[in-house]
Each structure stands twice: as C-alpha cells, then as structure tokens.
C-alpha cells in the first residue's frame, strides 16, 4: 500500500477527519446560510482578488528576493549593506504598519503634487491596490530574501568551481548551477512563506481593497451574523492553503531538494 495512503488510515487521523465532518454537518444544519446565494457572486470575485494578490506579489517578491539574497551572499558592500538593511527593516516592522505608511503616507504625498495628479499615473496612484501590491511584495521579498541569502551561501563551492573549470561564464554558471541549486534548497521554506503570504492578504481590506475578507466583513455588517461568515472565511482559506501545500509538494517531488 502507498505509504501516504496508509498514513491517512492511522486512528488519530481518522478521528480528526470524523470530527471535521461532524463540525461541517452541524454548521450546515444548525446555522443560517440563507444569505449565501445573495453574496455568492461577490464572494467568488473576492476569492479571485485574493488569489490574484497572492500570485502577483509572491512572483514579484520572489524575483526581488533573488536579487536581495545574491547581493548579501556575494555582492559588494555597497549592494550587500542596503539589501541587508531592507530585509532587517521589513522583518522588524509589522506588515500593517508598512501598508499604512505606503497608502496613507506615500499616497498622501503624491496627492500634494499637481504634476502627479494631472499625469496618467494618477489613475493608478489614487487607487488602493498598487499600495497593497507593493506592501505585500516588499514583505515577501524581505523575508524570502534572507532565505535566499542562506540558500546561495549554502551551495557547495565545489560545484561552482567545477562550472568555472568547464569554462562557463559567470552568468551561465549562475543560471545553470548557482540559482537552481539555491532554489532547490529554499523550496520548503518558500512553501511556508507563500502560505503566510496568503494569510497576510486580508490586511489589504484596511485600505479599501475588496478581497474575500472585505466581502465577509460586508456580509457581517448587512446580516448581523458573526459565526457563519467567519466559518465560511476560515473554510475558504483552509482550502486555498491546502491547494498551495499540495502544489508545492508536487513541485518538491519532481525537483528533489539535495543536501
């Protein structure tokens, strides 16, 4: 029998599954769900916004993290210093504070300049979503940049020396040896950081970005219900988290992390 399938048949896992099914049935038959059809369209849009935020900010943040990690691991001091300072500030301050500083601080500063207000960029700069995307991207880059620093530093020097001995240029060696090996080492942590990024997306609702959390908050205000909308929100995030975990496990199974 498949070891993974066997693990799901362990007694404690079966008990947890039974408890979960019981909770779902209890909630389905004892709580009010008559509001769900009326808000289903908005909820789907909100989930789409959440997934879009997660995808965009994780991709851009990881690309930035590669540069931050490389600068700290092998860059000159004038690159390593700012990269280290950026990661320290991002990791040392709350994401909510960073989000508000960008939206209420930088956004208010832009509004003071007529040149900006009269330009094409003002169409985007007066909206909330660019600041939400920037804050989430910076947060992901700050945390994952430190992970990539360790991943780059952990690649055995012998492999790089072998690439140099084969006559590879620095860029070719980076593209074919150093970067792939560093990503292999960082994959497990990258999965965890992506899940944390998903759980951080509800903060954008504080600056009027309408994600799934904002829709649930509107449902609570309109219906005066508390538990039902929050239970649905928890279920949505659990499903998205499960999909992410399965996706990263699939990737890891095909790209083994070597020592």
């Amino acid at each position: 029998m498949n070891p993974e399938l066997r693990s799901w048949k362990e007694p404690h896992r079966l008990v947890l599954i039974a408890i979960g099914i019981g909770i779902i049935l209890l909630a389905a038959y004892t709580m009010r769900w008559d509001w769900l059809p009326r808000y289903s369209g908005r909820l789907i849009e909100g989930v789409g916004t959440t997934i879009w935020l997660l995808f965009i900010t994780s991709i851009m943040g990881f690309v930035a993290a590669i540069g931050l990690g490389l600068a700290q691991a092998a860059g000159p001091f004038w690159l390593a210093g700012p990269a280290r300072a950026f990661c320290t500030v991002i990791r040392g301050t709350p994401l909510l504070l960073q989000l508000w500083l960008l939206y209420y601080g930088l956004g208010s500063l832009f509004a003071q300049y007529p040149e900006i207000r009269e330009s094409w960029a003002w169409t985007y700069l007066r909206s909330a979503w660019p600041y939400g995307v920037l804050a989430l991207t910076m947060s992901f880059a700050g945390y994952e940049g430190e992970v990539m620093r360790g991943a780059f530093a952990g690649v055995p020097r012998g492999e790089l020396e072998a690439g140099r001995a084969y006559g590879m240029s620095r860029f070719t060696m980076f593209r074919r040896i150093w970067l792939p090996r560093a990503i292999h080492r960082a994959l497990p942590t990258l999965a965890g950081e992506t899940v944390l990024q998903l759980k951080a997306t509800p903060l954008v609702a504080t600056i009027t970005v309408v994600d799934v959390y904002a829709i649930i908050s509107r449902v609570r205000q309109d219906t005066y219900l508390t538990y039902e909308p929050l239970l649905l929100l928890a279920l949505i995030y659990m499903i998205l988290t499960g999909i992410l975990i399965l996706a990263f496990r699939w990737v890891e199974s095909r790209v083994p992390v070597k020592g």
Side-chain angles (χ1 to χ4, degrees), residues 1 63 77 80 90 124 126 154 214 233:
M1 182 182 294
V63 171
F77 73 93
I90 292 298
Y124 303 99
R126 67 182 180 183
L233 182 64

Side-chain angles (χ1 to χ4, degrees), residues 24-61:
I24 293 174
L25 292 175
L26 182 65
Y29 287 102
T30 63
M31 293 183 172
R32 280 187 53 195
W33 300 101
D34 55 311
W35 52 271
L36 191 54
R38 180 158 41 111
Y39 291 95
S40 59
R42 297 188 206 176
L43 284 170
I44 293 173
E45 292 179 3
V47 171
T49 300
T50 296
I51 295 174
W52 178 82
L53 279 171
L54 174 67
F55 181 79
I56 292 296
T57 59
S58 297
I59 293 296
M60 294 195 303

Side-chain angles (χ1 to χ4, degrees), residues 6-147:
R6 189 186 305 117
S7 67
W8 282 107
K9 292 187 176 182
E10 295 178 1
H12 70 282
R13 294 183 183 272
L14 293 176
V15 171
L16 291 175
I17 292 172
I19 292 174
I21 294 175
I23 292 174
I24 293 174
L25 292 175
L26 182 65
Y29 287 102
T30 63
M31 293 183 172
R32 280 187 53 195
W33 300 101
D34 55 311
W35 52 271
L36 191 54
R38 180 158 41 111
Y39 291 95
S40 59
R42 297 188 206 176
L43 284 170
I44 293 173
E45 292 179 3
V47 171
T49 300
T50 296
I51 295 174
W52 178 82
L53 279 171
L54 174 67
F55 181 79
I56 292 296
T57 59
S58 297
I59 293 296
M60 294 195 303
F62 184 65
V63 171
I66 292 174
L68 291 169
L70 185 62
Q72 294 181 80
F77 73 93
W78 51 271
L79 281 178
R84 188 175 297 112
F86 175 84
C87 291
T88 300
V89 170
I90 292 298
R91 297 169 70 204
T93 54
L95 175 56
L96 183 61
L97 175 61
Q98 300 164 17
L99 184 63
W100 284 1
L101 283 175
L102 288 174
Y103 181 64
Y104 295 110
L106 192 60
S108 299
L109 182 64
F110 288 151
Q112 297 178 11
Y113 294 92
E115 298 85 357
I116 296 178
R117 293 200 308 271
E118 295 171 2
S119 69
W120 62 269
W122 184 241
T123 303
Y124 303 99
L125 294 178
R126 67 182 180 183
S127 302
W129 66 265
Y131 303 98
V133 169
L134 180 59
L136 289 171
T137 300
M138 289 171 54
S139 176
F140 192 90
Y143 282 93
E144 197 60 27
E146 192 65 19
V147 173

